[in-house]
Amino acid sequence: MCRVGVLWRFTADEAIIAIAHRTQFVGMLRSHQGWSVDEYAASVVFSELVGNVVTHSPGPIEIVLECDNQEIVLKVTDRGMGFRFSPTLPRNVLSEGGRGLFLVAQFAAAVQLDDARPGTTVRATLARKVPAA
């Protein structure tokens, strides 16, 4: 049985501050009881979602990690003007950007977008760790 409810919460007036709190996020995942989350995949999802807020909607951010005893969900909320969730690779393979949402879609078990304008919440269900065979 895992702990149900909010496992970790982080808020800041400037999204860039959140990047330095990835270690705390991963630490909370490690301490979770009941079943394991793929820490690498969760770290990529965290980094890409927070990085997108820093790049496209600098300002306030709220990050919530919660469990409902069936899944662990990372929710990242900004105060921007919203966006369309299109998890595709850029057409130009040499492009320096445009891969973040694609990576989130690949590393998360599921992704949902709540576009409330102003403000957007991305809800990423974190993938469980696959037991070694």
Side-chain angles (χ1 to χ4, degrees), residues 6-87:
V6 174
L7 304 175
W8 182 76
R9 180 185 305 269
F10 175 83
T11 59
D13 291 333
E14 293 297 326
I16 196 161
I17 296 168
I19 294 170
H21 293 272
R22 184 177 65 186
T23 303
Q24 289 178 356
F25 165 76
V26 172
M28 181 52 66
L29 291 175
R30 281 192 186 123
S31 69
H32 183 260
Q33 301 292 315
W35 37 266
S36 299
V37 170
D38 182 333
E39 291 175 21
Y40 177 78
S43 182
V44 169
V45 170
F46 178 95
S47 297
E48 293 299 334
L49 291 178
V50 171
N52 280 347
V53 174
V54 169
T55 302
H56 302 291
S57 182
I61 189 170
E62 179 181 41
I63 305 168
V64 177
L65 181 67
E66 58 188 17
C67 179
D68 67 2
N69 205 26
Q70 294 188 24
E71 56 191 25
I72 293 182
V73 176
L74 172 65
K75 296 192 300 187
V76 178
T77 303
D78 65 42
R79 302 292 178 258
M81 294 310 298
F83 64 95
R84 185 173 59 90
F85 184 69
S86 179

Side-chain angles (χ1 to χ4, degrees), residues 112-129:
Q112 293 177 316
L113 181 72
D114 177 17
D115 190 357
R117 293 186 198 202
T120 303
T121 298
V122 178
R123 183 183 191 276
T125 302
L126 301 179
R128 291 189 186 203
K129 185 182 279 186

